[in-house]
Amino acid sequence: MTDCIFCKIARHEVPSRIVFENERLLAFHDLFPAAPTHILLIPKSHYTTLNDVPASEAVVLGELMTTAAQIARDNGFADDGYRVVMNCNSDGGQSVYHIHLHLLAGRKLTWPPG
Ligand code: 5GP
Ligand code: ZN
């Protein structure tokens, strides 16, 4: 996906404030943070929405979640708490069509979400 902004970030063609990276995924700060800590975790492979991840590739989603928890521990907010969210399509509020897990922390988050 040559035109996808998150593919470009994954390839380091567009700068981002990287928090963690390995061969399969990248975590970086959101450009418009909705909480004191707002990190996005993406697979380097392009999946347009959660609907496009086949069950055979579920390990990708698992690694996003376990990496989010590791970032929370490494940055000292695991015990206070945090929220992980993946928006899907229009009703879910998705605006960038390359799957990403939001990791939000640093303030008391309300429920239900807006
Ligand atoms: P969505 O609305 O799709 O769930 O979340 C997309 C997120 O990506 C938003 O929180 C938005 O602020 C963030 N975002 C959009 N474009 C960029 C960008 O170029 N760089 C970074 N770091 N974040 C971005
Ligand atoms: Zn992409």
Side-chain angles (χ1 to χ4, degrees), residues 6-25:
F6 284 1
C7 281
K8 288 179 180 171
I9 287 174
R11 292 193 299 261
H12 298 183
E13 292 169 12
V14 167
S16 69
R17 291 170 56 214
I18 293 173
V19 175
F20 175 83
E21 179 170 18
N22 66 19
E23 313 81 60
R24 296 168 300 281
L25 63 86

Side-chain angles (χ1 to χ4, degrees), residues 1-75:
M1 291 291 281
T2 48
D3 282 346
C4 168
I5 181 68
F6 284 1
C7 281
K8 288 179 180 171
I9 287 174
R11 292 193 299 261
H12 298 183
E13 292 169 12
V14 167
S16 69
R17 291 170 56 214
I18 293 173
V19 175
F20 175 83
E21 179 170 18
N22 66 19
E23 313 81 60
R24 296 168 300 281
L25 63 86
L26 183 72
F28 54 96
H29 288 278
D30 196 292
L31 206 52
F32 304 101
T37 297
H38 188 172
I39 293 165
L40 302 173
L41 295 97
I42 63 169
K44 290 187 173 178
S45 301
H46 182 92
Y47 301 94
T48 304
T49 79
L50 183 56
N51 295 331
D52 303 303
V53 184
S56 58
E57 291 171 47
V59 66
V60 170
L61 302 175
E63 192 173 13
L64 291 179
M65 294 293 261
T66 55
T67 303
Q70 188 60 53
I71 290 170
R73 285 191 290 272
D74 291 347
N75 289 276

